[in-house]
Amino acid sequence: MPNTWKPSVTVAAVIERDGRFLLIEEETSEGVRLNQPAGHLDPHESLEQAVVREVLEETAHDFTPTALVGMYMSRYTSKRRGTDVTYLRFTFCGTAGKEYDQPLDHGILRTMWMTRDEIAACEERHRSPIVLRCVDDYLAGKRAELDLLHTHLSVFEGGLTMKTDVT
């Protein structure tokens, strides 16, 4: 049976407060980069659970997703490693809640609140070409209701139930 091509599924959060967006500065194989709080979908979790987890791990903030800003596909080729990966990113917007006194995820150097113009001014430092596009889509008012997403019970270990299971 031939190998089936599969994109790498990721989630990201656009969090805006007083005209500034929460970004993270992180160590990558390509150097220090800026990104929204983001990461990979793990087994046995919904997209919403993944984005809540990633925001907490990378920013030490609770996160409540309120809408889906967009779904984005991009390709990344590492110059250093010579690897080629296609990412399918689900970007949510929502609100940051309580901030905890806990270490940030491995490789995260710090969190930053930046305006759209500040983000645009350092595009060469973005982790992905999608970073600014997600902010611009958010500012343009692009939103889809979260009930557009459905996670079937078969995804969860032991058949755990949650509100995203409702059709």
Side-chain angles (χ1 to χ4, degrees), residues 44-65:
H44 311 294
E45 69 181 353
S46 69
L47 293 164
E48 295 99 316
Q49 287 173 322
V51 75
V52 167
R53 176 184 51 76
E54 286 292 346
V55 171
L56 182 60
E57 289 174 357
E58 294 191 355
T59 72
H61 282 85
D62 281 333
F63 177 66
T64 303

Side-chain angles (χ1 to χ4, degrees), residues 10-17 20-24 36-39 45-70 90-100 102 113 134 138 143-144 146 149 162-163:
T10 62
V11 294
V14 173
I15 304 168
E16 188 244 348
R17 184 183 290 162
R20 295 187 174 276
F21 295 90
L22 182 58
L23 296 183
I24 52 116
Q36 279 99 8
E45 69 181 353
S46 69
L47 293 164
E48 295 99 316
Q49 287 173 322
V51 75
V52 167
R53 176 184 51 76
E54 286 292 346
V55 171
L56 182 60
E57 289 174 357
E58 294 191 355
T59 72
H61 282 85
D62 281 333
F63 177 66
T64 303
T66 57
L68 182 67
V69 175
F90 292 81
T91 300
F92 295 84
C93 63
T95 56
K98 180 179 177 180
E99 183 175 8
Y100 298 92
Q102 69 183 44
W113 290 91
C134 292
Y138 169 83
R143 308 282 190 284
L146 292 178
L149 302 171
M162 56 184 308
K163 58 184 186 178

Side-chain angles (χ1 to χ4, degrees), residues 18 108 114 119 129-130 137 139 148 153 165:
D18 300 323
I108 306 299
M114 300 175 71
I119 296 167
I130 304 300
D137 285 352
L139 290 172
L148 177 72
L153 284 174
D165 296 331

Side-chain angles (χ1 to χ4, degrees), residues 22-151:
L22 182 58
L23 296 183
I24 52 116
E25 186 176 60
E26 63 184 326
E27 274 292 339
T28 75
S29 62
E30 306 292 323
V32 176
R33 298 286 185 248
L34 297 176
N35 199 5
Q36 279 99 8
H40 292 270
L41 176 67
D42 283 350
H44 311 294
E45 69 181 353
S46 69
L47 293 164
E48 295 99 316
Q49 287 173 322
V51 75
V52 167
R53 176 184 51 76
E54 286 292 346
V55 171
L56 182 60
E57 289 174 357
E58 294 191 355
T59 72
H61 282 85
D62 281 333
F63 177 66
T64 303
T66 57
L68 182 67
V69 175
M71 297 167 280
Y72 307 85
M73 191 160 53
S74 65
R75 191 169 131 208
Y76 170 74
T77 303
S78 171
K79 296 173 192 137
R80 196 173 76 97
R81 294 185 196 168
T83 56
D84 186 72
V85 179
T86 297
Y87 291 98
L88 179 58
R89 179 193 241 209
F90 292 81
T91 300
F92 295 84
C93 63
T95 56
K98 180 179 177 180
E99 183 175 8
Y100 298 92
D101 182 20
Q102 69 183 44
L104 302 179
D105 208 4
H106 177 74
I108 306 299
L109 303 175
R110 64 182 173 142
T111 61
M112 307 165 67
W113 290 91
M114 300 175 71
T115 66
R116 188 264 178 218
D117 291 342
E118 290 169 338
I119 296 167
C122 61
E123 232 173 316
E124 74 284 349
R125 293 187 59 216
H126 293 180
R127 175 91 188 246
S128 158
I130 304 300
V131 171
L132 185 59
R133 173 65 188 263
C134 292
V135 169
D136 286 342
D137 285 352
Y138 169 83
L139 290 172
K142 294 186 178 183
R143 308 282 190 284
E145 298 293 325
L146 292 178
D147 65 2
L148 177 72
L149 302 171
H150 171 77
T151 303

